[in-house]
Amino acid sequence: MHIRHVISVSGGKDSTATLLLALERVPREQIVAFFCDTGNEIPVTHAYLDDLENHLGFKIHRLKADFSAEIAAKRRFIARDKRIRREYRTAPVFDAQGRPVPKRDKFGNIMHRIVRRGGTEIQEPIQKTRRVGGGRRVRWSNKAKRRALAVLHPTGNPFLDLCLWKGRFPSRMAQFCTEELKRNIAVAFQLDLIDQGFPVVSWQGIRRDESPNRRNAKRLERIGPKLWAFRPLVDWTAQQTVDFVRSQGCPLNPLYSQGQSRVGCVCINTNKQGLAQTAYRYPDEIDRIEDWEWLVGQVSKRGFSTFMCDADDRKDRRAIFADLNIRARVEWAKGDNGTVDLFDRLDLPVCASAYGLCE
Ligand code: SF4
């Protein structure tokens, strides 16, 4: 059977350039392009994909994750939850000289864990920890159960349903959105083609200069039986990509000309400028996220959840919500009142996916 050349189109410049290169180099009937609709895109991106399809005369399949089964299971879990244990915060223990105290098993032996250092696996002692504070109840209170079950139903929006299922928004430390909304869908789509008997080449619009974790990206890589990754842009710069798309007379996502350096979802990791631009140009998207914060808060055990930086470990969720809810973040992004701009100072990539799925 003929190879299938599969391209995940995100609406960004890199995946558009990759699709153009594929159309230039291989027969059209062997190319399959798809877009993972997260349900969290600015509508301009959907309109752009329609334009791109018309311009190229080429179909881009729209794929969506479905979490109905997971939400049904979560409803059952919450309704039946009768756990009695508590969850504690912990702190490492040091001796009088400030040396870490190792953890011991019931026979007095020091416990170890396996860690990887410089490419070799070594055993390292586990440090003893102690409980801090009174802990919090693990089980759902009856009040929280009633609150959650009243709203915990599939909405058909993949991003919102994912957050309802998880009871929280993704964060930089728990970036499950990329995996659940893009990677798993892309992998399932490609495995389906392989099951139909097609060898698959996955064209990925990754550039090495994008972020440290893409620095060593290979141009061609076998990633499984009958499955290869091909990254034709690995040594291109962002400017080369834009120039190439323009030279083909192909439109770029209008979001680029509206101050966004990257396009795709309204991202949980967006920087100050990106958030301010979104709030200025697309206030409806901020209203939508505000509604989502309320809904996801209802299904969270603590009653609050914020779209940005939900990994805050402070105890008082009300205080966290007051500081980090989307309206407060927009005000912070708009005003220049000397606030420390953590996002900009960290200078991290907007999305850490190594698959080029979040452009
Ligand atoms: S990391 Fe950002 S762009 Fe990627 S899926 Fe999550 S919200 Fe969307």
Side-chain angles (χ1 to χ4, degrees), residues 304-354:
F304 301 98
S305 194
T306 57
F307 182 75
M308 300 183 77
C309 276
D310 200 24
D312 196 315
D313 205 26
R314 276 179 289 164
K315 248 182 164 181
D316 185 347
R317 302 300 294 177
R318 271 173 210 273
I320 295 171
F321 185 78
D323 284 354
L324 297 182
N325 74 73
I326 194 68
R327 290 279 165 219
R329 288 280 90 186
V330 167
E331 287 312 309
W332 159 82
K334 280 200 250 172
D336 190 10
N337 56 3
T339 318
V340 176
D341 185 348
L342 277 179
F343 293 118
D344 288 348
R345 277 179 42 170
L346 284 169
D347 196 24
L348 289 166
V350 170
C351 178
S353 162

Coordinates of all heavy atoms in Angstrom, one line a residue, residues 304-354:
F304 N -12.9 26.1 43.8 CA -12.3 27.2 42.9 C -11.3 26.6 42.0 O -10.7 25.6 42.3 CB -11.6 28.2 43.8 CG -12.5 28.9 44.8 CD1 -12.5 28.4 46.1 CD2 -13.3 29.9 44.5 CE1 -13.3 29.0 47.1 CE2 -14.1 30.5 45.4 CZ -14.1 30.1 46.7
S305 N -11.3 27.2 40.8 CA -10.2 26.8 39.9 C -9.9 28.0 38.9 O -10.9 28.7 38.5 CB -10.6 25.6 39.0 OG -9.5 25.0 38.4
T306 N -8.7 28.2 38.6 CA -8.3 29.3 37.7 C -7.7 28.8 36.5 O -6.9 27.8 36.5 CB -7.4 30.3 38.4 OG1 -6.2 29.6 38.9 CG2 -8.1 31.0 39.6
F307 N -7.9 29.5 35.4 CA -7.4 29.1 34.1 C -5.9 29.2 34.0 O -5.2 28.4 33.4 CB -8.0 30.0 33.0 CG -7.6 29.7 31.6 CD1 -8.2 28.6 30.9 CD2 -6.8 30.5 30.9 CE1 -7.8 28.3 29.6 CE2 -6.4 30.3 29.6 CZ -6.9 29.1 28.9
M308 N -5.4 30.2 34.7 CA -3.9 30.4 34.7 C -3.3 30.1 36.0 O -3.9 30.5 37.0 CB -3.6 31.9 34.2 CG -4.2 32.2 32.9 SD -3.8 33.8 32.3 CE -2.1 33.6 31.8
C309 N -2.2 29.4 36.0 CA -1.4 29.1 37.2 C -2.2 28.5 38.3 O -2.2 28.9 39.5 CB -0.9 30.4 37.8 SG 0.7 30.9 37.0
D310 N -2.9 27.4 38.0 CA -3.7 26.7 39.0 C -2.9 25.9 40.0 O -3.4 25.3 40.9 CB -4.8 25.8 38.3 CG -5.9 25.5 39.3 OD1 -6.2 26.3 40.2 OD2 -6.6 24.5 39.1
A311 N -1.6 25.8 39.7 CA -0.7 25.0 40.6 C -0.3 25.7 41.8 O 0.5 25.2 42.6 CB 0.5 24.5 39.8
D312 N -0.8 26.9 42.1 CA -0.5 27.6 43.3 C -0.8 26.8 44.5 O -1.9 26.2 44.7 CB -1.3 28.9 43.3 CG -0.8 29.9 44.3 OD1 -0.4 29.5 45.4 OD2 -0.7 31.1 43.9
D313 N 0.2 26.7 45.4 CA 0.1 25.7 46.5 C -0.4 26.4 47.8 O -0.4 25.8 48.9 CB 1.5 25.1 46.8 CG 1.3 23.7 47.4 OD1 0.2 23.1 47.3 OD2 2.2 23.3 48.1
R314 N -0.8 27.7 47.7 CA -1.3 28.3 49.0 C -2.5 27.6 49.5 O -3.3 27.0 48.7 CB -1.6 29.8 48.7 CG -0.4 30.6 48.8 CD -0.7 32.1 48.5 NE -1.1 32.2 47.1 CZ -1.7 33.3 46.6 NH1 -2.2 34.2 47.4 NH2 -1.9 33.4 45.3
K315 N -2.8 27.7 50.8 CA -3.9 26.9 51.3 C -5.2 27.6 51.0 O -6.2 26.9 50.7 CB -3.7 26.9 52.8 CG -3.4 25.5 53.4 CD -3.3 25.6 54.8 CE -3.4 24.2 55.4 NZ -3.4 24.3 56.9
D316 N -5.3 28.9 51.1 CA -6.6 29.6 51.0 C -7.0 29.7 49.5 O -6.5 30.6 48.8 CB -6.4 31.0 51.6 CG -7.8 31.7 51.7 OD1 -8.7 31.2 51.0 OD2 -7.9 32.7 52.4
R317 N -7.8 28.8 49.0 CA -8.2 28.8 47.6 C -8.9 30.1 47.2 O -8.9 30.5 46.1 CB -9.0 27.6 47.3 CG -8.4 26.3 47.6 CD -7.1 26.0 46.9 NE -7.3 25.9 45.4 CZ -6.3 25.7 44.6 NH1 -5.0 25.7 45.0 NH2 -6.5 25.6 43.3
R318 N -9.7 30.7 48.2 CA -10.4 31.9 47.8 C -9.4 33.0 47.5 O -9.6 33.8 46.6 CB -11.2 32.4 49.0 CG -12.6 31.8 49.1 CD -13.3 32.2 50.4 NE -14.2 31.2 50.7 CZ -15.5 31.2 50.3 NH1 -15.9 32.1 49.6 NH2 -16.3 30.2 50.7
A319 N -8.3 33.1 48.3 CA -7.3 34.1 48.0 C -6.6 33.9 46.7 O -6.4 34.8 45.9 CB -6.3 34.1 49.2
I320 N -6.3 32.6 46.4 CA -5.7 32.3 45.1 C -6.6 32.7 44.0 O -6.2 33.3 43.0 CB -5.4 30.7 45.0 CG1 -4.3 30.4 46.1 CG2 -4.9 30.4 43.6 CD1 -4.2 28.9 46.2
F321 N -7.9 32.3 44.1 CA -8.8 32.6 43.1 C -8.9 34.1 42.9 O -8.9 34.6 41.7 CB -10.2 32.0 43.4 CG -11.2 32.2 42.3 CD1 -11.1 31.4 41.2 CD2 -12.1 33.2 42.3 CE1 -12.0 31.5 40.1 CE2 -13.0 33.4 41.3 CZ -13.0 32.6 40.2
A322 N -8.9 34.9 44.0 CA -9.0 36.3 43.9 C -7.8 36.9 43.1 O -8.0 37.8 42.3 CB -9.1 37.0 45.2
D323 N -6.6 36.3 43.3 CA -5.4 36.8 42.6 C -5.3 36.3 41.2 O -4.8 37.0 40.3 CB -4.2 36.3 43.4 CG -3.9 37.0 44.6 OD1 -4.7 38.0 44.9 OD2 -3.1 36.6 45.4
L324 N -5.8 35.1 40.9 CA -5.4 34.5 39.7 C -6.6 34.3 38.7 O -6.4 33.8 37.6 CB -4.8 33.1 39.9 CG -3.4 33.1 40.6 CD1 -2.9 31.7 40.8 CD2 -2.4 34.0 39.9
N325 N -7.8 34.7 39.1 CA -8.9 34.5 38.1 C -8.7 35.3 36.9 O -7.9 36.3 36.9 CB -10.3 34.8 38.8 CG -10.5 36.3 38.9 OD1 -10.7 37.0 38.0 ND2 -10.3 36.8 40.2
I326 N -9.3 34.9 35.8 CA -9.0 35.5 34.5 C -9.1 37.0 34.4 O -8.3 37.7 33.8 CB -9.7 34.8 33.3 CG1 -9.1 35.1 32.0 CG2 -11.2 35.1 33.3 CD1 -7.7 34.5 31.7
R327 N -10.1 37.5 35.1 CA -10.3 39.0 35.1 C -9.1 39.7 35.8 O -8.6 40.7 35.3 CB -11.6 39.4 35.9 CG -12.8 39.0 35.2 CD -13.2 40.0 34.1 NE -14.2 39.4 33.3 CZ -14.3 39.5 32.0 NH1 -13.5 40.3 31.3 NH2 -15.2 38.9 31.3
A328 N -8.7 39.1 36.9 CA -7.6 39.7 37.7 C -6.3 39.6 36.8 O -5.5 40.5 36.8 CB -7.4 38.9 39.0
R329 N -6.1 38.5 36.1 CA -5.0 38.3 35.2 C -5.0 39.3 34.1 O -3.9 39.8 33.7 CB -4.9 36.9 34.6 CG -4.6 35.8 35.6 CD -3.1 35.7 35.9 NE -2.7 36.5 37.0 CZ -1.4 36.7 37.3 NH1 -0.4 36.1 36.7 NH2 -1.1 37.5 38.3
V330 N -6.2 39.6 33.5 CA -6.3 40.5 32.4 C -5.9 41.9 32.9 O -5.1 42.6 32.3 CB -7.7 40.5 31.8 CG1 -7.9 41.7 30.9 CG2 -7.9 39.2 31.0
E331 N -6.4 42.3 34.1 CA -6.0 43.6 34.7 C -4.5 43.7 34.9 O -3.9 44.7 34.6 CB -6.7 43.8 36.0 CG -8.2 44.1 35.9 CD -8.5 45.1 34.8 OE1 -7.9 46.2 34.8 OE2 -9.3 44.8 33.9
W332 N -3.9 42.6 35.4 CA -2.5 42.5 35.6 C -1.7 42.7 34.3 O -0.8 43.4 34.1 CB -2.1 41.2 36.3 CG -0.7 40.7 36.1 CD1 0.4 41.1 36.8 CD2 -0.2 39.8 35.2 NE1 1.5 40.5 36.4 CE2 1.2 39.7 35.4 CE3 -0.8 39.0 34.2 CZ2 2.0 38.8 34.7 CZ3 0.0 38.2 33.4 CH2 1.4 38.1 33.7
A333 N -2.3 42.0 33.2 CA -1.6 42.0 31.9 C -1.7 43.4 31.3 O -0.8 43.9 30.6 CB -2.2 41.0 31.0
K334 N -2.8 44.1 31.5 CA -3.0 45.4 30.9 C -2.2 46.5 31.6 O -1.6 47.4 31.0 CB -4.5 45.8 31.0 CG -5.4 45.2 30.0 CD -6.7 46.0 29.9 CE -7.8 45.2 30.4 NZ -9.1 45.9 30.5
G335 N -2.2 46.5 33.0 CA -1.6 47.6 33.7 C -0.1 47.4 33.8 O 0.5 46.3 33.9
D336 N 0.7 48.5 33.8 CA 2.1 48.5 34.0 C 2.4 49.1 35.3 O 2.9 50.2 35.4 CB 2.8 49.2 32.8 CG 4.3 48.9 32.8 OD1 4.7 48.1 33.6 OD2 5.0 49.6 32.1
N337 N 2.1 48.4 36.4 CA 2.2 49.0 37.7 C 3.4 48.4 38.5 O 3.4 48.3 39.7 CB 0.9 48.8 38.5 CG 0.6 47.4 38.6 OD1 1.3 46.5 38.1 ND2 -0.6 47.1 39.2
G338 N 4.4 47.9 37.7 CA 5.6 47.4 38.4 C 5.4 45.9 38.9 O 6.3 45.4 39.5
T339 N 4.3 45.3 38.5 CA 4.1 43.9 38.9 C 5.3 43.0 38.3 O 5.6 43.2 37.1 CB 2.8 43.3 38.3 OG1 1.8 44.3 38.5 CG2 2.4 42.1 39.0
V340 N 5.8 42.1 39.1 CA 6.9 41.2 38.5 C 6.2 40.3 37.5 O 5.2 39.6 37.7 CB 7.5 40.4 39.6 CG1 8.5 39.4 39.0 CG2 8.2 41.3 40.6
D341 N 6.7 40.4 36.3 CA 6.1 39.6 35.2 C 6.8 38.2 35.1 O 7.8 38.0 34.4 CB 6.3 40.3 33.9 CG 5.6 39.6 32.7 OD1 5.2 38.5 32.9 OD2 5.5 40.2 31.7
L342 N 6.2 37.3 35.9 CA 6.9 36.0 36.0 C 6.9 35.3 34.6 O 7.9 34.7 34.3 CB 6.0 35.1 36.9 CG 6.4 35.3 38.4 CD1 5.5 34.4 39.3 CD2 7.8 35.0 38.7
F343 N 5.8 35.3 33.8 CA 5.8 34.6 32.6 C 7.0 35.1 31.7 O 7.7 34.4 31.1 CB 4.5 34.8 31.8 CG 3.4 34.2 32.6 CD1 2.3 34.9 33.0 CD2 3.4 32.8 32.8 CE1 1.3 34.4 33.7 CE2 2.3 32.2 33.5 CZ 1.3 33.0 33.9
D344 N 7.1 36.5 31.6 CA 8.1 37.0 30.7 C 9.5 36.7 31.2 O 10.4 36.4 30.5 CB 7.9 38.5 30.5 CG 6.7 38.7 29.6 OD1 6.2 37.8 29.0 OD2 6.2 39.9 29.6
R345 N 9.7 36.8 32.6 CA 11.0 36.6 33.1 C 11.5 35.2 32.9 O 12.6 34.9 32.7 CB 11.0 37.0 34.6 CG 11.2 38.5 34.7 CD 11.2 38.9 36.1 NE 12.0 38.1 36.9 CZ 12.3 38.4 38.2 NH1 11.9 39.5 38.7 NH2 13.0 37.6 38.9
L346 N 10.5 34.2 33.0 CA 10.9 32.8 32.9 C 11.3 32.5 31.5 O 12.1 31.6 31.2 CB 9.7 31.9 33.3 CG 9.5 31.8 34.8 CD1 8.2 31.1 35.1 CD2 10.7 31.0 35.4
D347 N 10.7 33.3 30.5 CA 11.0 33.1 29.1 C 10.9 31.6 28.7 O 11.8 31.1 28.0 CB 12.4 33.6 28.8 CG 12.6 33.8 27.3 OD1 11.6 34.0 26.6 OD2 13.8 33.8 26.9
L348 N 9.8 31.0 29.0 CA 9.6 29.6 28.7 C 8.8 29.5 27.4 O 8.1 30.5 27.1 CB 8.8 28.9 29.8 CG 9.7 28.7 31.1 CD1 8.8 28.3 32.2 CD2 10.7 27.6 30.8
P349 N 8.9 28.4 26.7 CA 8.1 28.3 25.5 C 6.6 28.2 25.8 O 6.3 27.7 26.9 CB 8.5 26.9 24.9 CG 9.1 26.2 26.0 CD 9.7 27.2 26.9
V350 N 5.8 28.8 25.0 CA 4.3 28.8 25.2 C 3.8 27.4 25.4 O 3.0 27.1 26.3 CB 3.6 29.5 24.1 CG1 2.1 29.3 24.3 CG2 3.9 31.0 24.1
C351 N 4.3 26.5 24.6 CA 3.9 25.1 24.8 C 5.1 24.2 24.7 O 5.9 24.4 23.8 CB 2.8 24.7 23.7 SG 2.4 23.0 23.9
A352 N 5.2 23.2 25.6 CA 6.4 22.4 25.7 C 6.3 21.1 24.9 O 7.1 20.3 25.0 CB 6.8 22.1 27.1
S353 N 5.2 21.0 24.1 CA 5.0 19.7 23.4 C 6.2 19.5 22.4 O 6.6 20.4 21.7 CB 3.7 19.8 22.5 OG 3.8 18.8 21.5
A354 N 6.8 18.3 22.5 CA 7.9 18.0 21.6 C 7.4 17.5 20.3 O 8.2 17.2 19.4 CB 8.7 16.9 22.3

